[in-house]
Amino acid sequence: LLTCLSAPVDATRFYVNQNTGDNRRSHVVVQDSETPWRTITHALEMAHIITQGRPHVIDIAPGSYSPSSGETYPFVISQTNIYLSSQGGVTLNAERQSRILEVTVPSPDFALRNFSLINGVADRGGAVSCHSCSLRVVNSTLLGNEATEGGDAIYVADGRLQLINNIIRLNGLSGSTGAVIEVRNTFSDTSQRDVIRNNTFFRNRTASILTT
């Protein structure tokens, strides 16, 4: 999603619905919400393979998407112009098997809105790890995520974070020296700022925010 937190108007939209979806469908058919794919995992794989028509938006129907429902975590975004969109009521549950989402490409505008990110575990960034990218997380819930080396919920390295209107609770490992939200930047540019505003931090087991 773009800075305005709406999907690019000229995007190719792929629909995912775990109840009515079928991963055997073509990428053309699933551009209709009535004939979606079944898993986010398959949609992301295809969105990375198919470069024509980008940007791509993966539009996810309400439901709980987990390894038990056929998903393979972590979800990895390794190319630009690939986005995730929630219709509301979307839970990404890693079931304590891995991190939930990893953005490995220098994306200037990656955003998550109206998601629940739960039960992610990793070394850094239990729910989300973002390197050299601009990350916005808005109107979402981060619950029960852990990281052994920092960023129990979110870890951003050499990028910008905007964290607005979220519920962030029960994350972290007791006794950890890290924090729920960690931003580790090595660049000196201060023309852009990280924004952490109007969030509710509740019963987390480590410090809330750690930045450089």
Side-chain angles (χ1 to χ4, degrees), residues 129-175:
S129 174
C130 184
H131 291 263
S132 301
C133 68
S134 177
L135 173 68
R136 304 188 85 180
V137 181
V138 181
N139 295 340
S140 294
T141 298
L142 296 102
L143 169 67
N145 302 289
E146 298 177 357
T148 55
E149 298 180 28
D152 293 298
I154 295 175
Y155 185 90
V156 174
D158 288 334
R160 293 301 182 192
L161 173 66
Q162 296 193 43
L163 189 70
I164 303 169
N165 296 339
N166 301 287
I167 304 296
I168 303 166
R169 64 189 181 98
L170 296 173
N171 300 281
L173 293 164
S174 297

Side-chain angles (χ1 to χ4, degrees), residues 1-2 6-15 31 52-58 81-83:
L1 305 187
L2 296 180
S6 61
V9 294
D10 58 344
T12 301
R13 191 171 291 266
F14 301 135
Y15 289 91
Q31 294 176 44
Q52 185 177 3
R54 285 184 181 169
H56 296 330
V57 174
I58 298 171
N81 291 318
I82 297 174
Y83 305 93

Side-chain angles (χ1 to χ4, degrees), residues 11-174:
T12 301
R13 191 171 291 266
F14 301 135
Y15 289 91
V16 172
N17 188 314
Q18 63 183 193
N19 296 316
T20 64
D22 188 335
N23 287 344
R24 294 171 295 181
R25 291 172 175 149
S26 76
H27 72 281
V28 176
V29 170
V30 299
Q31 294 176 44
D32 185 332
S33 62
E34 296 299 315
T35 51
W37 280 321
R38 187 175 67 84
T39 65
I40 302 169
T41 301
H42 182 73
L44 278 172
E45 179 182 0
M46 296 305 294
H48 281 80
I49 292 172
I50 301 166
T51 58
Q52 185 177 3
R54 285 184 181 169
H56 296 330
V57 174
I58 298 171
D59 194 309
I60 306 167
S64 181
Y65 296 82
S66 67
S68 296
S69 71
E71 301 292 349
T72 301
Y73 283 88
F75 299 140
V76 178
I77 308 290
S78 61
Q79 297 176 18
T80 57
N81 291 318
I82 297 174
Y83 305 93
L84 301 178
S85 176
S86 166
Q87 297 180 14
V90 174
T91 297
L92 305 183
N93 182 359
E95 296 180 338
R96 299 187 60 79
Q97 295 187 24
S98 73
R99 174 185 295 118
I100 296 171
L101 175 67
E102 184 172 358
V103 183
T104 63
V105 63
S107 173
D109 56 8
F110 193 85
L112 295 168
R113 184 174 188 174
N114 297 326
F115 283 90
S116 292
L117 308 174
I118 72 174
N119 297 327
V121 295
D123 52 351
R124 294 185 178 93
V128 183
S129 174
C130 184
H131 291 263
S132 301
C133 68
S134 177
L135 173 68
R136 304 188 85 180
V137 181
V138 181
N139 295 340
S140 294
T141 298
L142 296 102
L143 169 67
N145 302 289
E146 298 177 357
T148 55
E149 298 180 28
D152 293 298
I154 295 175
Y155 185 90
V156 174
D158 288 334
R160 293 301 182 192
L161 173 66
Q162 296 193 43
L163 189 70
I164 303 169
N165 296 339
N166 301 287
I167 304 296
I168 303 166
R169 64 189 181 98
L170 296 173
N171 300 281
L173 293 164
S174 297

Side-chain angles (χ1 to χ4, degrees), residues 169-185:
R169 64 189 181 98
L170 296 173
N171 300 281
L173 293 164
S174 297
S176 171
T177 58
V180 176
I181 308 296
E182 288 203 27
V183 181
R184 295 285 187 175
N185 293 329

